[in-house]
Amino acid sequence: MGAMPAKHALPSWWRTQLHQLDDYVSSKSVPTESDIVIIGSGISGASVAYHILQQHKGHNPPRVTILEARQACSGATGRNGGHLKPDPYSFIGELAAEYGPEAAEEVAEFERSHVDTISNLVKSEMIDCDLVVTKAIDVQLNPRECKKAKASFDHLPGIGIKSAKRVNFTDQKEAEVRSRVKGALGCFSYEAGHVWPYKLVLHILGRCVEQGGKLYTHTPAQYISPEKDASDRWTINTPRGTIKTKHVVFACNAYTSAILPMYSNKIVPVRGVCCRIVPTFPVKRLTETYTLRWSWSEFDYLIPREDGSVIVGGAWSKYYRDTGTWYNNAKDNEMIEPAKEYFDGYMQRNFHGWEESGAYVDQIWTGIMGYSADSLPHIGQVPGKQGQFIIAGFTGHGMPQAWLSGKGIAAMVSEGIPFAESGIPRIFETTQGRLQKSRNDILGTKGEVAKSSARL
């Protein structure tokens, strides 16, 4: 059995201004019947619910019930780095090598369209969530890695990866000035965004509740019947009663295998750490998002906020050798001790102009990501389970993948369209074949230490 969410998670800074739906329950006990039950209220679950209710706006919407084990959006989405960062070249290069350029380009385009789609959503729904569209800068700090990354990047246009054309490379002569990062040897820059993820999701959940959706926080799905009943419905047990439903959507990422055991070892809880750093004295504000990369498995990521603070995640180098601190670990109610001091003096150490900022760690927390054994999310109909769907396993990279995946799942659920017409990249489809593979990228079985290092 996989892990259920820990009680009393460490407070994440994103959850400091709580929405009225944070602890919401639509009624004392859950409905005995629902057309669709969505398990999880992060960005994936919210997207599925929103798109299903939008499709039926104003006319006979299906009965949609969202179950959440803790508070609304208290899992990875409410604990992440706030990055909305499509990858146009790095992981895309690996995907091209393994699945071919066409499949890789499909993923790159899908991720890129998240920036526009979420920008349009924020405008049309008038969501107050601090969305900023800017540039991301990936800074290389290791000569060998920089050379390797550049060679791999240069190779992409020739094999038809058009997304690489959206990336600018700055070499060592200019990199330090361009990025303001000490010791920068080269940097890649391209469009990205950042956002207050909790506020985005809670607004969307609010819209779903207004349109008749039912939301039950503190209501974990404890058990799901292995078979349908005589009336072709699945039975879900919760502490607030039992629901019968034709459709179940598993949007519970790291916690999937607790209620869907066939995903044991395929989607694994991986713990990461994030913090908020605040300058004491005025400092020239950063305006772009960052990844600082010392090696393939040692990097941090950062977003600047309009209030002058920065959200930084990573510290992977401090703890990845002790597998138990992060692998198959769902304790976001505990700090990763070796990572705790890592962020002290972080901005002063790494950024020109921050030496006298007096920047200090204001808040630090852990979060649990759902890492997939083959590095790709599992999306689509659960193999062999008619009426069950999954949208999970985002491997710390859900913000530029989950929203439109939710839209695709919504169409599969309520309109019965096949996966191939959902608009979701083909290699994200969950299949029996993928579940049967013995591969485990998470533990770096390709011979590289901790290849998929935590990118919360």
Side-chain angles (χ1 to χ4, degrees):
M1 278 293 277
M4 289 295 272
K7 287 187 168 56
H8 313 302
L10 294 171
S12 137
W13 187 80
W14 299 121
R15 295 183 36 83
T16 49
Q17 296 177 23
L18 296 181
H19 190 278
Q20 63 205 39
L21 293 181
D22 195 63
D23 283 311
Y24 185 79
V25 281
S26 288
S27 54
K28 208 169 154 184
S29 46
V30 293
T32 52
E33 292 180 12
S34 186
D35 296 312
I36 299 152
V37 173
I38 297 164
I39 302 168
S41 68
I43 192 165
S44 301
S47 172
V48 176
Y50 175 81
H51 286 106
I52 287 171
L53 291 164
Q54 289 292 105
Q55 285 162 6
H56 296 270
K57 219 171 177 179
H59 56 274
N60 203 13
R63 294 167 298 174
V64 175
T65 305
I66 303 169
L67 302 177
E68 170 55 61
R70 300 190 295 201
Q71 303 92 337
C73 193
S74 58
T77 313
R79 314 183 71 75
N80 66 20
H83 240 148
L84 176 58
K85 184 184 176 183
D87 178 351
Y89 76 102
S90 175
F91 186 53
I92 296 302
E94 289 177 45
L95 292 180
E98 186 167 351
Y99 301 98
E102 204 178 308
E105 178 69 9
E106 214 171 80
V107 174
E109 280 310 303
F110 184 70
E111 290 193 9
R112 185 183 74 105
S113 59
H114 272 75
V115 179
D116 295 341
T117 304
I118 289 176
S119 298
N120 293 337
L121 174 78
V122 167
K123 279 191 200 90
S124 67
E125 287 276 3
M126 296 189 294
I127 307 175
D128 170 19
C129 63
D130 298 357
L131 173 70
V132 175
V133 176
T134 176
K135 287 264 192 280
I137 309 184
D138 295 347
V139 182
Q140 297 287 339
L141 293 152
N142 171 314
R144 203 187 64 200
E145 289 287 331
C146 185
K147 212 168 156 183
K148 209 163 100 183
K150 177 73 164 74
S152 149
F153 168 68
D154 289 342
H155 169 70
L156 294 175
I159 59 167
I161 301 292
K162 295 188 209 54
S163 62
K165 295 184 178 133
R166 301 197 303 268
V167 182
N168 288 317
F169 178 75
T170 307
D171 65 18
Q172 193 170 354
K173 285 200 298 290
E174 306 283 328
E176 207 158 330
V177 172
R178 164 77 186 87
S179 68
R180 295 171 59 187
V181 174
K182 298 175 182 183
L185 300 174
C187 57
F188 299 88
S189 61
Y190 46 94
E191 188 185 65
H194 57 89
V195 67
W196 190 315
Y198 172 85
K199 288 187 174 181
L200 171 70
V201 170
L202 267 290
H203 182 103
I204 294 302
L205 291 173
R207 188 62 82 234
C208 294
V209 170
E210 276 167 29
Q211 290 176 12
K214 303 284 186 220
L215 170 64
Y216 294 88
T217 62
H218 302 287
T219 311
Q222 294 164 313
Y223 173 78
I224 292 160
S225 59
E227 304 295 335
K228 289 181 181 175
D229 66 9
S231 61
D232 203 29
R233 292 177 305 177
W234 301 99
T235 305
I236 303 176
N237 293 357
T238 83
R240 292 182 205 277
T242 298
I243 315 180
K244 290 191 176 291
T245 182
K246 278 213 152 71
H247 303 284
V248 187
V249 178
F250 295 90
C252 36
N253 210 24
Y255 306 103
T256 304
S257 68
I259 42 174
L260 198 55
M262 63 200 278
Y263 284 86
S264 294
N265 304 323
K266 300 301 159 199
I267 299 175
V268 178
V270 163
R271 188 165 65 151
V273 62
C274 251
C275 72
R276 178 177 185 249
I277 295 177
V278 184
T280 307
F281 304 107
V283 65
K284 189 183 166 204
R285 221 166 56 72
L286 301 175
T287 56
E288 295 159 305
T289 80
Y290 284 84
T291 300
L292 270 54
R293 193 178 284 283
W294 288 270
S295 76
W296 175 252
S297 61
E298 296 183 26
F299 65 90
D300 302 323
Y301 45 88
L302 179 159
I303 65 161
R305 291 200 17 88
E306 301 280 299
D307 61 12
S309 69
V310 289
I311 305 286
V312 190
W316 185 242
S317 57
K318 293 291 168 214
Y319 64 87
Y320 75 78
R321 289 173 188 84
D322 178 6
T323 311
T325 58
W326 59 274
Y327 182 79
N328 208 357
N329 185 324
K331 293 180 179 164
D332 57 8
N333 55 348
E334 292 175 7
M335 187 32 64
I336 301 174
E337 286 306 320
K340 212 169 167 182
E341 264 97 74
Y342 176 81
F343 297 105
D344 294 341
Y346 185 89
M347 298 303 292
Q348 293 90 322
R349 223 169 35 241
N350 291 306
F351 284 86
H352 288 293
W354 280 71
E355 295 83 354
E356 307 301 319
S357 63
Y360 65 97
V361 176
D362 166 59
Q363 199 166 342
I364 186 164
W365 63 92
T366 51
I368 310 302
M369 300 165 281
Y371 264 51
S372 156
D374 63 6
S375 304
L376 297 172
H378 281 273
I379 304 172
Q381 189 185 300
V382 174
K385 303 267 186 186
Q386 194 70 39
Q388 291 191 5
F389 297 84
I390 184 171
I391 168 170
F394 287 102
T395 314
H397 193 56
M399 291 302 282
Q401 293 177 343
W403 182 257
L404 289 171
S405 297
K407 185 183 184 182
I409 286 285
M412 291 173 72
V413 172
S414 64
E415 296 167 28
I417 68 160
F419 183 90
E421 289 165 30
S422 68
I424 303 167
R426 67 190 94 161
I427 57 176
F428 290 3
E429 184 173 15
T430 191
T431 61
Q432 195 56 48
R434 283 178 67 193
L435 293 178
Q436 281 166 338
K437 282 203 180 110
S438 58
R439 141 183 200 174
N440 186 347
D441 293 359
I442 314 164
L443 290 173
T445 44
K446 289 179 180 171
E448 290 184 56
V449 182
K451 189 165 167 49
S452 306
S453 46
R455 7 175 219 203
L456 176 67

